[in-house]
Amino acid sequence: EIKRVKIVRDVRIVSSLGALESLGGGEGSQGLDQQVPWFPRKVSDLDTFAEKVLEMGEELSSDHPGAKDPVYRRRRMEIVQKAKEYRSGQPLPHIDYTEQEKDTWRQVYTRLRDMYPKYACREFLHVLPLLEQNCAYGPDNIPQIEDISRFLKDCTGFTLRPVMGLLTPRDFLNSLAFRVFHSTQYIRHHSDPYYTPEPDCCHELLGHVPLFADPNFAELAQEVGLASLGASDEDIEKLATIFWFTAEFGLCREDGSIRAYGAGLLSSFGELEYALTEVPTRLEFEPSKTVEQKYPITEYQPVYFVADSFRDATAKLREFNATMKRPFQVRYNPYTQSVDVLNSKDKVQHFARSISNEMQLLASALEHV
């Protein structure tokens, strides 16, 4: 009953925002300060990232296991070209993987699948069998991102799109605001199936994808993305660090034990086991402290951050985001797959009315519970 009273009170508070209509002034500036970095406003704007990659993609560094293999390089170029040509609204590229590529996947999948029950968080363990049932995940098949994307959309609204290689932190995080995850489709070199110097389909599909089907994790990921839109370079660096210590290398508490949920752990046999030993330092996830932590790229992490839950991590992240210097707020519109910038009276009024309608519906529903 107390909860019902509180919700009715909240409805009245939100409804009172209609008083904004009595304020003077018109629509206000439609633009943003010229110093605000450009950011995508609709999901099709992500097409501008298609040919923007930091490294890898078409070119391989000299220390890449496949750098001196002309067959591997040609095959990789073929797959990367499909990502380069992809545009929003088109069917996601289908890759006919070779037997050699499937064998590499088989070795990775089998070994990790055996480790997950001991180390992975419960949300991950819940979704993985569903991916096996609905998206043809398994040791003998590399699933197609089209099938996975449809599954994720039904679960949380997240979708996949192909990418040539590593995006800039800003571009990658911006995409999460639209519940879009950029996924590579090429696989690591067969000479060393247990090592890759870059994200590949093993890392994306086994490490990242399962948790994008979990509503609470999806909310956490999108919160990082929304905060990145129009953020300063300094804040982008902070948000990228938060993503690193959550979505990539995050740990969480579960029934008195510590489990892994970060993709960098769930796609690495060695570090998955190492992270849950007494060797590394484990700290409480607090965004204001996490952003100050430096981290290595090519070796095991000396420090990991532990979240009580995805919901708790999201709540802490929202509090942290409120301290950022961005002079406006944004909200994602799932109906149009676009971002609304709340920088004028009319936009705030419209948002207030939509909240009021939703809160009234909730209060009415509670009357019948």
Side-chain angles (χ1 to χ4, degrees):
E1 192 64 33
I2 292 176
K3 291 182 179 179
R4 293 181 183 179
V5 170
K6 183 178 183 301
I7 287 175
V8 170
R9 183 196 68 191
D10 290 344
V11 168
R12 289 171 179 166
I13 291 175
V14 172
S15 296
S16 70
L17 291 176
L20 284 169
E21 295 178 0
S22 65
L23 297 176
E27 172 66 19
S29 174
Q30 292 300 305
L32 298 172
D33 191 301
Q34 291 183 352
Q35 295 181 349
V36 173
W38 179 90
F39 60 90
R41 302 293 185 91
K42 53 185 183 296
V43 72
S44 60
D45 288 343
L46 302 184
D47 289 343
T48 62
F49 304 160
E51 299 184 34
K52 293 168 57 181
V53 290
L54 286 174
E55 56 186 50
M56 302 302 178
E58 296 173 301
E59 300 299 327
L60 302 183
S61 59
S62 59
D63 61 346
H64 192 287
K68 297 181 180 180
D69 182 343
V71 176
Y72 178 80
R73 293 176 67 95
R74 283 196 300 272
R75 171 61 170 166
R76 187 184 175 102
M77 181 72 75
E78 173 188 330
I79 294 175
V80 164
Q81 186 62 32
K82 292 186 178 183
K84 187 175 183 178
E85 296 172 354
Y86 174 80
R87 293 296 181 269
S88 296
Q90 298 176 349
L92 296 177
H94 181 96
I95 307 298
D96 291 318
Y97 290 101
T98 67
E99 289 304 315
Q100 187 176 69
E101 290 167 337
K102 291 178 183 178
D103 183 63
T104 299
W105 167 271
R106 182 181 302 109
Q107 294 179 65
V108 175
Y109 190 93
T110 301
R111 187 168 176 182
L112 283 173
R113 190 69 171 84
D114 290 341
M115 296 180 70
Y116 288 151
K118 182 178 180 180
Y119 298 103
C121 66
R122 66 163 64 91
E123 292 87 350
F124 184 95
L125 295 176
H126 172 72
V127 173
L128 187 57
L130 300 178
L131 289 167
E132 292 174 334
Q133 296 170 16
N134 295 279
C135 302
Y137 268 60
D140 300 319
N141 179 67
I142 303 177
Q144 298 294 328
I145 63 172
E146 176 72 43
D147 298 330
I148 300 169
S149 190
R150 284 199 299 265
F151 174 79
L152 292 180
K153 188 171 182 63
D154 287 344
C155 292
T156 62
F158 253 93
T159 58
L160 302 182
R161 68 172 290 156
V163 67
M164 294 171 58
L166 288 172
L167 293 171
T168 67
R170 181 181 296 278
D171 291 349
F172 177 78
L173 295 178
N174 281 184
S175 302
L176 296 176
F178 298 85
R179 298 209 169 199
V180 172
F181 178 72
H182 280 84
S183 175
T184 54
Q185 291 182 279
Y186 46 75
I187 197 166
R188 58 197 65 183
H189 194 259
H190 59 86
S191 65
D192 194 351
Y194 301 141
Y195 168 75
T196 177
E198 54 171 341
D200 71 333
C201 67
C202 295
H203 173 76
E204 319 282 38
L205 305 188
L206 291 175
H208 279 294
V209 159
L211 284 180
F212 283 122
D214 177 77
N216 293 322
F217 179 83
E219 187 175 0
L220 172 62
Q222 187 180 31
E223 189 67 25
V224 179
L226 288 169
S228 76
L229 298 177
S232 66
D233 290 343
E234 178 185 356
D235 284 336
I236 287 292
E237 184 177 353
K238 291 178 179 179
L239 292 168
T241 300
I242 288 174
F243 187 86
W244 180 269
F245 283 115
T246 54
E248 289 291 354
F249 291 96
L251 299 176
C252 61
R253 291 187 179 85
E254 186 177 296
D255 300 328
S257 64
I258 302 296
R259 292 281 181 143
Y261 72 89
L265 300 176
L266 294 168
S267 60
S268 169
F269 331 100
E271 191 160 6
L272 179 57
E273 186 173 26
Y274 160 84
L276 297 177
T277 67
E278 298 303 316
V279 176
T281 299
R282 293 199 286 265
L283 303 174
E284 186 77 16
F285 174 67
E286 292 291 346
S288 61
K289 297 179 180 178
T290 301
V291 297
E292 302 298 330
Q293 180 64 47
K294 304 301 180 183
Y295 53 88
I297 302 294
T298 58
E299 57 189 67
Y300 291 172
Q301 302 299 304
V303 176
Y304 298 94
F305 288 86
V306 184
D308 285 336
S309 66
F310 296 147
R311 286 184 177 180
D312 182 68
T314 302
K316 290 180 177 179
L317 178 59
R318 285 181 176 144
E319 291 180 3
F320 174 79
N321 290 346
T323 69
M324 291 172 54
K325 302 174 183 177
R326 189 177 62 182
F328 57 88
Q329 289 296 329
V330 298
R331 67 183 286 262
Y332 177 64
N333 186 330
Y335 302 112
T336 59
Q337 292 185 290
S338 62
V339 167
D340 298 328
V341 179
L342 303 177
N343 65 337
S344 73
K345 188 194 73 173
D346 286 350
K347 291 177 181 178
V348 173
Q349 287 174 353
H350 180 75
F351 185 34
R353 285 193 292 270
S354 67
I355 293 176
S356 178
N357 292 338
E358 293 295 321
M359 292 294 286
Q360 289 174 11
L361 177 62
L362 176 60
S364 176
L366 284 172
E367 295 297 326
H368 298 86
V369 173

